[in-house]
Amino acid sequence: MLQSKDLIKIDDILTVIKEGEQTIGTVTTYNDEIDVTWSIEGTDASLVSVDSSSGVITLDSSANIETDSSYSFVVVATYVDNSANVARKDLAVTVDP
């Protein structure tokens, strides 16, 4: 089993996003030789998307503090050569007006 701390790199992920913005950031792996596909799970998964190959995470609609002041979701990395090998990382993003 992959360990999140060994695979998912979140250095480029925002924890606060300005109202009106959509891009949260990009997830990557610590090891460029590991080929993974990205997906989103969790509480606000229906409001957040990730490009399965590039790892770019965006809100499906521009951030609006009046409708959602924060987003909680799980980034999932699935090893391409072994779909049973999965790592997850919980993330939360707050909207700043």
Side-chain angles (χ1 to χ4, degrees):
M1 176 73 78
L2 294 173
Q3 298 295 315
S4 297
K5 65 181 176 64
D6 297 330
L7 180 68
I8 300 175
K9 185 177 180 181
I10 60 166
D11 294 347
D12 295 328
I13 298 295
L14 299 174
T15 56
V16 176
I17 189 170
K18 293 281 186 191
E19 190 167 27
E21 293 182 350
Q22 281 185 270
T23 302
I24 295 172
T26 303
V27 286
T28 58
T29 61
Y30 282 104
N31 183 343
D32 293 336
E33 295 178 18
I34 296 175
D35 193 15
V36 299
T37 57
W38 300 100
S39 59
I40 299 288
E41 297 177 345
T43 305
D44 293 319
S46 65
L47 305 172
V48 180
S49 296
V50 63
D51 182 286
S52 63
S53 58
S54 71
V56 174
I57 300 173
T58 57
L59 297 176
D60 293 339
S61 299
S62 295
N64 182 341
I65 200 163
E66 293 177 17
T67 56
D68 290 294
S69 60
S70 65
Y71 300 86
S72 297
F73 55 95
V74 179
V75 174
V76 181
T78 304
Y79 201 121
V80 170
D81 294 335
N82 179 358
S83 62
N85 214 356
V86 175
R88 290 177 172 80
K89 180 71 177 170
D90 294 335
L91 294 174
V93 177
T94 302
V95 179
D96 184 18

